[in-house]
Amino acid sequence: MTTYDLVVADATLRGREGRWRVGVDGSRIGAVTTEPISGREEVDAAGALVTESFVNGHLHLDKVHTLDRVGDAALTAYTAGDMASALTSIELASAVKADYDRTWIEPNARRAIVEAVRHGVRHVLAFADVDTSARLEGVIPVLALREEFRGVVDLQVVAFPQDGLLRDPGAEQLVREAVDLGADVVGGIPWIEHTDAEAREHVRRMCSLAAAHGRRVAMLVDDAGDASLRTTEMLATAMLEHGLVGRGVANHARAIGLYARPSLERVAGLARRAGLGFVSDPHTGSLHLPVRELTAMGIPVALGQDDIEDAYYPFGRHSMLEVAFLAAHALGAFDQPGLDLVYDAVTTTAADVLGVRGHRLEPGGNADLVVHHHPTLREVLAHHVAPAHVIASGTVVASSSSTTTFRETPPQP
Ligand SMILES: [Zn+2]
């Protein structure tokens, strides 16, 4: 009988009948089998669902837990009506950066990453504002946390010019400095520039920087209720022009939800050519990307937490199960294909969008797993509680349980 470093026993797997054992060697999956195998350490799944761990396609990590600092005026503007005032909200939200300081940003970001460990989030596309008000105060602590948590929660750090490039002279130089400091991804937010020509120039400069340094790109595109916005198209076009095929992510892209069908099909066709993946966050706005339609067109769409208690969203626990649960409501994804879609969008599809290789529960795949409390996807989503066990790089890094004791008789007055 083969002995593994770790065996997850009595597991229910998605789309497979029966009970399974998953054997882990080092940080890889060595076997997925119904045969007896032994492990130096064993985790009993007790018949519950075991899947790949979670991937968060989009998080503003330097801004988590700042809502009390900035107040909710930006929140009102961002979510009002059909998101026509999103630009105003960004200007209001930038007030938080008046006293941006790594000494208070670091513990907030750390808190969000510890919650990621609890909830089985293994990879995060982590945006840090890099602009003339934030300077490098947000990205520096996030880069340090990336090193500290590597192998448990991997952060892809995005140097993100939140206030634009041409609107914010000096931001471009700071993004270059952040890349020199080791930021993994070049960010962008072209839709907030004042003209289409400036938006196109914004995308060109950031894609050129990414190509020159072997980095990926991730941009917030078309994030307002305005069907005339076309910066997703600009991003895909620039990826084709700069040799970045398959190395870009479009975040938000809410305006696409207002496109007529022919425009939707055109942008989907272009995205396919450019290998552009999408991340949607339907819980943080009143308008969202048409996730089900794009998925049906063969475009990979991930879900993101987006915000945790900041100027744009008052909740968030860094639970991608909670995000998938909320998305199921926003997208009307309640049947089994719908549940599979939202769960893939926080696990396997999300890994594909972020360019993470080997994120599959199969022999040779990464030993990054979550062991749930319930056997079916429907129950797991319904309860959306922290997994019973979280395995990262082949090691159990967190275990959670909850207990309620009912009184036998009602309390007496
Ligand atoms: Zn966002």
Side-chain angles (χ1 to χ4, degrees), residues 311-331:
Y312 302 95
Y313 184 65
F315 312 126
R317 300 182 298 153
H318 218 166
S319 161
M320 297 312 294
L321 262 184
E322 180 173 272
V323 168
F325 175 78
L326 295 169
H329 292 74
L331 307 174

Side-chain angles (χ1 to χ4, degrees), residues 41 83 86 91 138 147 155 165 187 223 258 273 316 333 367 377 386:
E41 184 182 356
M83 304 199 62
E91 287 162 2
E147 297 313 307
L155 305 178
L165 280 190
D223 189 19
L258 300 173
R273 269 170 58 202
L377 200 52

